[in-house]
Amino acid sequence: MHLLNNTCDVYVAVEALCYQREQQVNMMAQPIRLRIILGEDDARKLILPAGISDSIEELCQEVKTNFGVQQDFRLQYQDPDFGNEFVNLTAISEINDKATLKVVYLDMTCQPVRSPTHSFSSSSADTDNTRPVSSSGSSPSTRLSVWPSVFTVPRFSYEAELQLEKANAEFIAGGTHLTPSPKLKSHLLERLAEEIIKFKVYPTDNDLNEVAEVLVKQHPCLREQGSFNGCYGWKISLKYKMANVRTKLRGLGCAEVLVNSLKNKAQDKSQAALNVKKPRRAEVNYCPQYPKGETTDSLEKERIALTFSYRRQEVIQGQPFIADFKSRWPALFTEKEIDKEFLRISTVPLLSRFFYELDLYTPRMMELFRGKGGVAGRKMRHIMVAISKDDTIHTRRACILKSLCVYLNEDHEKLVKEYTNTEANTEAMEQTVMGVYVIHQEGAEPGDDPENIGVLIEGVEVLTGLRSIAIACALLFGLIYCLNRSYPPELKCTFEVLQKIIMKLDGQRLSSKAQFLKNKLMG
């Protein structure tokens, strides 16, 4: 009796295993619908037309491919033995049709990557409106995954699925192939094209061949008679379909296809193909659209705002060396960009305000300088001689700035340092903390144009090839703001006057020397 009971137990166990295996085989042959929980308030429907995967790893890959998940994760299922609480999935056999699976990210600091909302189609795997990637909304052409290792044929319309189901049954029973009607074929190609566009607009021949092979494998009734691989005609049809889709997208202004239009290539149409702009190195987002609601101008403003705040944080908190900072932000060190940066910092235009006020005060300054006696008066009269030889606006401004230093009992040669071309790049220039440099040709006559004018900070030529000494002085003043530098101690009165009298920045609080000059200028 004991032996009989053992035999019965073995028989029951074997029968259960066979039944379980039969269920697995049936699941692998029939479409499976799964509810996938990607995160809080984010559940998606996943349809596996070819049935359940052979392994948990393949199922995880299906989830990654369909929903654009890039992080590593494990899956949990609802176990009925524990009141449908979620437990880790360790065997595919635990999954049934309409089961609910939960994605648990291995890096808990990561958040699920949401698939973009595609304007071209709505996949059966997408059942909610995705959250925008940025504050202004994501672009329809933004993609989150590369071409899948196994292409998944999308769910077709209800009517098309019924036709294919019936035709597949007839093919299995008697080998009858389906000759799809123009309407059905057009629908199939349209849905396949929509799925392809999720990954690339310019699929290769291998990509199209893979799609065609997967299509006839999943729906054998569509296999072509007489074709060497049973799907060559589908591949060609997909190729033409994708070309038509690109034409429509180009008309809608899609950037990644518009870039290949003739107007963006060579003027000679016979040479148009020489400048084809297509992805060449598996770029997923080769030329994405602007985010929703954004334009070139709005994005440029955002870029400037972000760049400005980031740069100011680096300048103020990091206090980098000039050489390092210039290598990181080379575009800042131009006349135009310094003017813009100063305006962002102070809300006051640099060059226009500087020269307008300087020219406005010039007549009165010249009177004050001529009336100055002693050593300072002689120095200023010597500087002003240049005006009698070359009475241009540039010369007059340069003489006024130099004389201003002398009037304030500071050394004008600390502000403007002059060298001959044989003395250029000497140790004296390398040791200059801050100033304007002027390089003359050796043996040049007074009044001759200098060979070069630039700005030195920490021994680095931050600006070169400037038009005049006055412009160089104004840009030096602007760079002090841009780089958050202190005024040179030996020129602090000169820069205070430039700031508070010329530029009218914080002009209510003046040192006694600057206040004395202001009273004279206003008198």
Side-chain angles (χ1 to χ4, degrees):
M1 179 65 71
H2 180 68
L3 180 60
L4 180 60
N5 289 337
N6 288 342
T7 303
C8 291
D9 291 342
V10 171
Y11 177 77
V12 170
V14 171
E15 187 177 45
L17 287 173
C18 291
Y19 176 78
Q20 188 178 32
R21 181 58 182 167
E22 182 180 357
Q23 290 293 103
Q24 292 180 21
V25 171
N26 289 337
M27 288 178 64
M28 292 178 185
Q30 298 176 0
I32 295 296
R33 294 156 294 179
L34 300 175
R35 178 172 175 261
I36 308 296
I37 299 177
L38 293 175
E40 186 178 358
D41 299 327
D42 187 7
R44 313 271 185 99
K45 182 179 179 181
L46 175 63
I47 297 179
L48 302 175
I52 197 68
S53 305
D54 293 331
S55 67
I56 295 176
E57 290 74 17
E58 291 183 7
L59 180 58
C60 289
Q61 185 59 46
E62 291 278 4
V63 173
K64 286 186 175 183
T65 300
N66 280 275
F67 302 126
V69 178
Q70 298 178 341
Q71 301 96 312
D72 291 330
F73 62 86
R74 66 172 178 267
L75 292 173
Q76 293 185 340
Y77 75 103
Q78 291 179 306
D79 194 331
D81 294 337
F82 298 97
N84 286 331
E85 292 292 332
F86 283 103
V87 298
N88 291 342
L89 179 65
T90 57
I92 285 291
S93 59
E94 302 288 355
I95 303 176
N96 299 316
D97 187 28
K98 297 185 180 180
T100 296
L101 301 180
K102 183 179 181 181
V103 172
V104 179
Y105 298 92
L106 299 183
D107 182 359
M108 299 306 294
T109 62
C110 295
Q111 296 296 324
V113 177
R114 297 175 180 265
S115 302
T117 302
H118 294 276
S119 62
F120 317 115
S121 68
S122 177
S123 170
S124 61
D126 298 329
T127 59
D128 68 341
N129 293 324
T130 57
R131 186 177 302 170
V133 174
S134 66
S135 60
S136 56
S138 60
S139 163
S141 64
T142 303
R143 302 185 177 92
L144 298 177
S145 60
V146 297
W147 185 267
S149 56
V150 179
F151 186 86
T152 302
V153 175
R155 189 77 172 173
F156 300 117
S157 68
Y158 181 73
E159 181 182 350
E161 289 287 348
L162 284 178
Q163 293 183 61
L164 292 175
E165 183 179 356
K166 180 181 178 181
N168 284 331
E170 293 176 354
F171 177 82
I172 294 173
T176 305
H177 290 80
L178 172 67
T179 301
S181 65
K183 180 181 178 181
L184 176 60
K185 186 173 182 179
S186 175
H187 171 71
L188 299 182
L189 293 174
E190 185 73 28
R191 287 291 292 119
L192 290 171
E194 290 172 353
E195 196 69 18
I196 290 171
I197 288 173
K198 292 182 180 180
F199 304 103
K200 55 176 69 175
V201 175
Y202 290 96
T204 64
D205 276 356
N206 288 337
D207 296 332
L208 296 176
N209 192 63
E210 178 187 345
V211 174
E213 288 179 349
V214 173
L215 175 65
V216 299
K217 181 179 179 180
Q218 183 168 325
H219 300 289
C221 64
L222 297 176
R223 183 172 291 276
E224 298 168 331
Q225 294 177 300
S227 172
F228 75 95
N229 63 353
C231 62
Y232 182 75
W234 284 106
K235 171 190 171 182
I236 298 301
S237 297
L238 280 171
K239 187 173 184 178
Y240 283 112
K241 182 62 179 180
M242 290 304 300
N244 292 336
V245 169
R246 287 193 293 269
T247 300
K248 293 179 182 178
L249 294 178
R250 187 178 295 113
L252 294 172
C254 180
E256 58 186 332
V257 293
L258 190 62
V259 73
N260 290 312
S261 62
L262 289 177
K263 66 180 181 180
N264 287 322
K265 296 182 181 180
Q267 294 297 321
D268 183 2
K269 292 187 179 181
S270 64
Q271 300 295 319
L274 296 178
N275 193 26
V276 175
K277 302 179 182 69
K278 296 179 183 178
R280 298 177 180 176
R281 294 174 295 273
E283 295 94 340
V284 177
N285 292 304
Y286 182 63
C287 186
Q289 297 283 109
Y290 291 148
K292 295 176 183 177
E294 298 289 359
T295 63
T296 302
D297 292 338
S298 66
L299 288 177
E300 176 64 13
K301 291 178 181 177
E302 184 174 354
R303 181 193 69 81
I304 291 174
L306 291 173
T307 301
F308 172 61
S309 60
Y310 179 56
R311 183 163 56 225
R312 291 301 292 173
Q313 291 286 337
E314 182 176 330
V315 165
I316 293 171
Q317 297 183 17
Q319 298 180 348
F321 290 111
I322 295 302
D324 297 335
F325 189 79
K326 186 180 179 183
S327 65
R328 277 181 52 77
W329 304 97
L332 173 64
F333 293 87
T334 64
E335 180 178 326
K336 183 178 180 181
E337 289 304 317
I338 293 171
D339 200 1
K340 290 181 179 180
E341 188 84 345
F342 186 86
L343 179 62
R344 288 189 283 266
I345 294 170
S346 67
T347 70
V348 172
L350 174 62
L351 296 179
S352 58
R353 169 72 68 84
F354 188 94
F355 292 122
Y356 174 81
E357 296 294 337
L358 183 66
D359 293 343
L360 187 65
Y361 286 120
T362 291
R364 180 58 181 157
M365 282 187 177
M366 293 183 72
E367 291 180 13
L368 294 176
F369 298 160
R370 291 193 190 101
K372 186 73 172 178
V375 177
R378 289 195 295 270
K379 286 183 179 179
M380 286 188 285
R381 283 189 288 274
H382 178 71
I383 292 171
M384 290 294 183
V385 169
I387 297 178
S388 61
K389 297 180 179 179
D390 179 24
D391 190 16
T392 62
I393 188 67
H394 295 307
T395 302
R396 189 182 306 112
R397 288 170 174 171
C399 291
I400 290 295
L401 290 170
K402 291 178 183 179
S403 299
L404 178 62
C405 293
V406 178
Y407 188 86
L408 296 170
N409 295 323
E410 293 179 339
D411 188 357
H412 71 282
E413 293 183 352
K414 297 290 186 180
L415 176 64
V416 180
K417 305 173 186 295
E418 303 198 21
Y419 306 92
T420 63
N421 53 2
T422 58
E423 298 171 337
N425 301 318
T426 61
E427 185 177 352
M429 292 183 67
E430 295 173 358
Q431 292 181 351
T432 299
V433 176
M434 189 179 295
V436 172
Y437 72 87
V438 181
I439 297 177
H440 300 279
Q441 290 185 351
E442 190 173 14
E445 296 294 329
D448 290 349
D449 292 335
E451 188 175 284
N452 192 13
I453 300 173
V455 174
L456 289 166
I457 299 179
E458 293 179 2
V460 178
E461 295 183 48
V462 294
L463 295 172
T464 186
L466 300 177
R467 293 170 290 164
S468 70
I469 292 174
I471 289 176
C473 291
L475 293 175
L476 173 60
F477 177 80
L479 280 170
I480 292 174
Y481 274 73
C482 297
L483 304 175
N484 195 37
R485 289 302 192 262
S486 300
Y487 294 144
E490 62 273 15
L491 294 170
K492 64 178 183 179
C493 290
T494 299
F495 280 103
E496 182 190 6
V497 169
L498 294 180
Q499 173 197 325
K500 298 182 178 182
I501 298 178
I502 302 299
M503 296 299 295
K504 292 181 168 48
L505 294 171
D506 194 23
Q508 292 76 29
R509 298 183 299 172
L510 299 170
S511 66
S512 57
K513 191 177 290 188
Q515 185 65 57
F516 181 77
L517 174 61
K518 184 177 182 180
N519 294 339
K520 290 284 188 180
L521 292 174
M522 300 301 176

